[in-house]
Amino acid sequence: MASEPSSPGPAIGLIMTGGGARAAYQVGVLRALCEILPKGVRNPFPIICGTSAGAINAAVLATDAANFRRGVRRLMTVWKNFHVQQVYRADAWGALANSARWLLTAMSGGRLSNPVSLLDNSPLSGLLERYVDFPAIGRNIDAGHLQAFAVTCSGYTSGQSVTFYQGQASLAGWARARRVGVAMPIGLPHLMASSALPFIFPPVRINREYFGDGSMRQIAPVSPALHLGAGRLLVIGVGRQSGQPAVRQPAEGYPSLAQIAGHALDSIFLDSLEVDLERLQRINRTLGIIPAETLAKNGYPLRTVDFRVLTPSVPLSQIAAQHAHELPRVIRGLLQTVGAMRRTGSNLVSYLLFEKAYCRALIRLGYRDTLAQRDDLLVFLGYGPQ
């Protein structure tokens, strides 16, 4: 029998951000949520939004919206047994040939056709076809188990952050500066596009435009969930937030290509989320000091949005450095050429290390970090004492 919240409130939107292999951390968070929630809870998140690798995790939950625990078990089965070869080709021919074509294209000024990525991620497409029942998303919406599911991609031609969403008929699209919401049945191309790391994986064509990783140019990561009706937000990130002190160490010479690439990926995946959450917190504080009658009288459209953020308590690059040797030899050699196998390049490795020991370490970290906030999360989700 389904268990209802003891303190029901506005609909909760689950937001899972991008980050390649770092998304294993989200699975640990979800596993802990399964443990702390009452047994009869079907789905605590009627609105599920994902970007990049977070979109893949979100899609599995959306297909199992009638049984949250089953969806998390399915994610656990894949992530705790991951190998690089399930995401991108790691054999000598598949990895080196694609990389060589990419380099030759850069040197030829783009005259060669289609070598637009460093790695070939066709194995991921096959994995998703086997594990994600896309028609189930629509069935769950029709049955009332899910209000909306959204995947964000970045348009290479338009420069827009496009959120493709599938949801109840009452929902309407939106258009804001550099970001739009478009209603459309979600399928494999949307997940492949949203998780197409720039330069590393190839862009994907959806209708008339090519799209890449949804974290690029996503200036308002929490916005889609709000547009889709969420009144509360649970955000699962994959990087330490700005409230945690930065570690400054003496430079060890000129930064390698891997160090620069890791820094760029951090900018894409982490910075906009921090800024958007800071903006949301500032709006909440401002609304808190404005009398309710003043807001009603002036028709002010903003509302207070309660939210929680779960992020790693340990830099994931540190964990990646401990497991970098588990990458296939060909990939290690390829990354060695750009300095990724050195300590300063471990940030880049943390996004590409789809190996089970690393993924299991991230799952354990997400599990521990979530249990540490058990009481507060129970209250936030509506199942704890007020």
Side-chain angles (χ1 to χ4, degrees), residues 223-304:
S223 174
L226 299 177
H227 281 292
L228 295 171
R232 291 175 288 170
L233 303 174
L234 179 64
V235 183
I236 310 177
V238 294
R240 305 179 85 196
Q241 297 298 298
S242 57
Q244 298 164 315
V247 178
R248 297 187 183 277
Q249 298 175 336
E252 299 177 358
Y254 196 80
S256 65
L257 287 175
Q259 189 174 356
I260 294 172
H263 181 76
L265 289 176
D266 277 355
S267 298
I268 292 171
F269 288 113
L270 309 181
D271 292 355
S272 59
L273 177 62
E274 292 184 10
V275 172
D276 206 22
L277 290 173
E278 183 181 10
R279 182 188 303 119
L280 182 58
Q281 191 172 49
R282 189 166 59 247
I283 292 172
N284 283 345
R285 289 173 178 170
T286 301
L287 292 175
I289 62 176
I290 300 176
E293 57 272 18
T294 301
L295 294 173
K297 180 179 179 181
N298 291 278
Y300 211 51
L302 297 178
R303 67 184 189 276
T304 299

Side-chain angles (χ1 to χ4, degrees), residues 101 105 110-116:
R101 291 180 64 209
T105 297
R111 288 190 293 272
L112 297 180
S113 61
N114 293 332
V116 291

Side-chain angles (χ1 to χ4, degrees), residues 86-375:
Q86 294 174 280
V87 180
Y88 53 87
R89 291 187 63 179
D91 59 287
W93 176 252
L96 297 180
N98 212 65
S99 302
R101 291 180 64 209
W102 183 80
L103 180 60
L104 286 173
T105 297
M107 296 174 63
S108 69
R111 288 190 293 272
L112 297 180
S113 61
N114 293 332
V116 291
S117 66
L118 186 64
L119 298 172
D120 175 2
N121 65 342
S122 56
L124 176 61
S125 177
L127 180 70
L128 294 178
E129 285 183 324
R130 293 193 302 273
Y131 273 88
V132 183
D133 179 13
F134 291 101
I137 298 172
R139 294 195 298 268
N140 286 327
I141 293 170
D142 292 341
H145 302 312
L146 185 67
Q147 182 173 323
F149 169 57
V151 173
T152 298
C153 307
S154 181
Y156 279 115
T157 302
S158 65
Q160 288 184 316
S161 177
V162 181
T163 297
F164 298 101
Y165 70 90
Q166 189 172 351
Q168 296 173 349
S170 59
L171 296 173
W174 60 91
R176 300 292 186 270
R178 292 291 179 186
R179 52 192 172 92
V180 297
V182 179
M184 178 183 294
I186 303 299
L188 179 62
H190 300 91
L191 298 190
M192 293 298 293
S194 186
S195 58
L197 293 167
F199 299 111
I200 298 175
F201 297 142
V204 177
R205 184 164 185 161
I206 300 174
N207 293 338
R208 63 181 181 275
E209 187 174 9
Y210 279 96
F211 290 87
D213 198 289
S215 296
M216 296 186 293
R217 312 201 74 168
Q218 191 182 29
I219 58 177
V222 306
S223 174
L226 299 177
H227 281 292
L228 295 171
R232 291 175 288 170
L233 303 174
L234 179 64
V235 183
I236 310 177
V238 294
R240 305 179 85 196
Q241 297 298 298
S242 57
Q244 298 164 315
V247 178
R248 297 187 183 277
Q249 298 175 336
E252 299 177 358
Y254 196 80
S256 65
L257 287 175
Q259 189 174 356
I260 294 172
H263 181 76
L265 289 176
D266 277 355
S267 298
I268 292 171
F269 288 113
L270 309 181
D271 292 355
S272 59
L273 177 62
E274 292 184 10
V275 172
D276 206 22
L277 290 173
E278 183 181 10
R279 182 188 303 119
L280 182 58
Q281 191 172 49
R282 189 166 59 247
I283 292 172
N284 283 345
R285 289 173 178 170
T286 301
L287 292 175
I289 62 176
I290 300 176
E293 57 272 18
T294 301
L295 294 173
K297 180 179 179 181
N298 291 278
Y300 211 51
L302 297 178
R303 67 184 189 276
T304 299
V305 177
D306 194 11
F307 68 92
R308 296 293 185 275
V309 185
L310 292 163
T311 57
S313 57
V314 177
L316 300 190
S317 58
Q318 291 183 7
I319 301 176
Q322 299 168 10
H323 295 276
H325 64 278
E326 295 158 7
L327 282 165
R329 181 178 299 178
V330 172
I331 301 300
R332 290 202 311 269
L334 184 61
L335 293 176
Q336 184 73 47
T337 63
V338 296
M341 300 307 292
R342 300 199 297 267
R343 183 181 60 80
T344 56
S346 61
N347 218 28
L348 175 61
V349 174
S350 72
Y351 290 96
L352 300 175
L353 189 48
F354 292 92
E355 288 294 329
K356 65 179 182 180
Y358 172 67
C359 291
R360 289 182 179 189
L362 266 55
I363 290 171
R364 289 193 297 270
L365 179 63
Y367 179 79
R368 292 196 305 269
D369 287 350
T370 305
L371 289 186
Q373 301 185 47
R374 176 190 181 109
D375 293 342

Side-chain angles (χ1 to χ4, degrees), residues 12-24:
I12 304 176
L14 175 64
I15 299 174
M16 290 190 281
T17 63
R22 289 177 170 222

Side-chain angles (χ1 to χ4, degrees), residues 67-102:
N67 192 331
F68 177 67
R69 285 180 169 79
R70 182 175 61 194
V72 174
R73 285 197 301 269
R74 292 175 62 217
L75 285 172
M76 284 287 295
T77 298
V78 174
W79 279 97
K80 72 179 183 180
N81 296 299
F82 240 141
H83 291 289
V84 159
Q85 293 90 337
Q86 294 174 280
V87 180
Y88 53 87
R89 291 187 63 179
D91 59 287
W93 176 252
L96 297 180
N98 212 65
S99 302
R101 291 180 64 209
W102 183 80

